[in-house]
Amino acid sequence: MSVKAFTNGLIAGFVLGVLFAPDRGRETRRKIINNASDIKDAACNVYNSIAEIAEEQYNRIKTKTQALMQKADNKFDGVEDDTAAMFD
C-alpha cells in the first residue's frame, strides 16, 4: 500500500464519519478533534516506518557500494602493477 493511498483513505474515512455522524455540534467537534489526533498519529507512524526502511536501504546500498569500490580499487592497483612491470 502506498503512503498516498493510505493517507487518502484516512482522510476519506474521517470526512465520511463526520458527515454521517448523527450527533450534536459539540459532540461532532469532539469527534473531529479525536479523529484528527488519530490521523496525525497514524501519519507519524507511517512516516517513521518509511524513514526506518529508507535508512536501512541506504545503509545496505552504502555498504555494498563501498565493497565494490574497494574491489575496483584493488583490481586497478593490480593492473597498475602489471603495467609498470611491463615497462621496467
Side-chain angles (χ1 to χ4, degrees):
M1 175 188 315
S2 73
V3 176
K4 184 176 181 181
F6 178 77
T7 305
N8 287 340
L10 283 174
I11 292 169
F14 172 72
V15 170
L16 290 173
V18 170
L19 289 176
F20 292 104
D23 293 322
R24 296 177 310 194
R26 183 182 314 175
E27 186 65 23
T28 300
R29 285 190 297 276
R30 185 185 62 75
K31 283 184 178 182
I32 289 171
I33 290 168
N34 290 340
N35 287 337
S37 177
D38 291 344
I39 289 172
K40 182 192 91 163
D41 292 343
C44 286
N45 289 339
V46 168
Y47 172 80
N48 289 335
S49 295
I50 291 171
E52 185 177 309
I53 291 168
E55 183 178 9
E56 289 170 1
Q57 293 294 333
Y58 169 78
N59 288 332
R60 197 177 81 204
I61 291 169
K62 181 180 174 184
T63 301
K64 284 184 177 184
T65 302
Q66 288 171 337
L68 285 172
M69 287 176 62
Q70 184 63 45
K71 235 177 169 180
D73 196 36
N74 291 343
K75 287 209 181 261
F76 178 76
D77 288 343
V79 169
E80 191 177 43
D81 293 342
D82 291 345
T83 303
M86 288 172 42
F87 293 107
D88 284 337

